[in-house]
Amino acid sequence: MVRGRKNPLFMGLAARLKTARKTAALNRQSVTQRAKLSDVSAVLGIEQGQRIPRLDTVERVAYALGLSPAFLAYGIEADASQPTDGLRCEGVASRLRQTRTDRGLTMRGLARASGLTDTAVRSTETGASVPSIATVEAFAIALAVSPGWLGYGLGPMELPGRRRVAASPAPSPG
């Protein structure tokens, strides 16, 4: 944890994956095969915290384990443990672009607010690359939305339990 900041939500991915895999009584190779991943070390790398996966990898692994990708990636409860006619993460480009413009931000403004590069914003918004779950969480924090919603279109747009800035101080009793 960085002093004064919470750990990112994706930091719990390794533990959530390992727990889910063991609960399903599957070994890493079985999960890799069910998820149709070409890299046989992907699940091991994620479980050991050695790699931060892309949205699509987490989504495939989540479905292989019967989980919601928003839960596996960020620990956010969302009802979606079954795949749709494509990957839910394919909508990240349009959700990011729409939310950024609704917030009145330029690509450069979002890049600065999220601590990422202009290229990261542009390549995500155009669909040129699939972002990592860390990149999506950085965008989500900058836009004040749920990373589960931004990455996968699951759950509420606003992260439940986030602190909200009060419009006015609460009245004092008495």
Side-chain angles (χ1 to χ4, degrees), residues 69-118:
F71 173 75
L72 186 59
Y74 304 109
I76 298 169
E77 295 292 336
D79 185 29
S81 58
Q82 295 303 313
T84 58
D85 285 339
L87 294 175
R88 294 175 185 275
C89 67
E90 292 170 356
V92 68
S94 61
R95 287 186 294 273
L96 180 64
R97 183 174 39 258
Q98 185 64 52
T99 307
R100 177 184 58 77
T101 57
D102 288 351
R103 301 287 196 266
L105 288 171
T106 62
M107 284 187 187
R108 177 160 290 162
L110 177 56
R112 287 186 181 145
S114 62
L116 299 170
T117 64
D118 296 3

Side-chain angles (χ1 to χ4, degrees), residues 113-132:
S114 62
L116 299 170
T117 64
D118 296 3
T119 304
V121 176
R122 186 175 300 103
S123 64
T124 301
E125 282 194 7
T126 61
S129 68
V130 178
S132 74

Side-chain angles (χ1 to χ4, degrees), residues 11-75:
M11 293 284 290
L13 169 63
R16 286 188 295 274
L17 174 56
K18 189 172 189 174
T19 299
R21 182 181 60 75
K22 288 185 174 191
T23 300
L26 295 170
N27 62 31
R28 292 181 188 107
Q29 184 176 5
S30 298
V31 174
T32 301
Q33 289 170 345
R34 286 180 179 208
K36 297 182 176 134
L37 300 176
S38 58
D39 183 0
V40 295
S41 66
V43 174
L44 174 64
I46 296 167
E47 271 190 15
Q48 292 181 340
Q50 295 174 342
R51 66 169 50 166
I52 299 172
R54 298 182 328 191
L55 285 176
D56 58 337
T57 300
V58 172
E59 188 167 357
R60 287 183 174 95
V61 171
Y63 293 147
L65 293 167
L67 299 173
S68 158
F71 173 75
L72 186 59
Y74 304 109

Side-chain angles (χ1 to χ4, degrees), residues 149-169:
W149 174 82
L150 185 60
Y152 301 107
L154 296 171
M157 183 177 179
E158 188 171 316
L159 186 59
R162 276 188 77 98
R163 295 172 87 190
R164 290 175 182 78
V165 177
S168 60

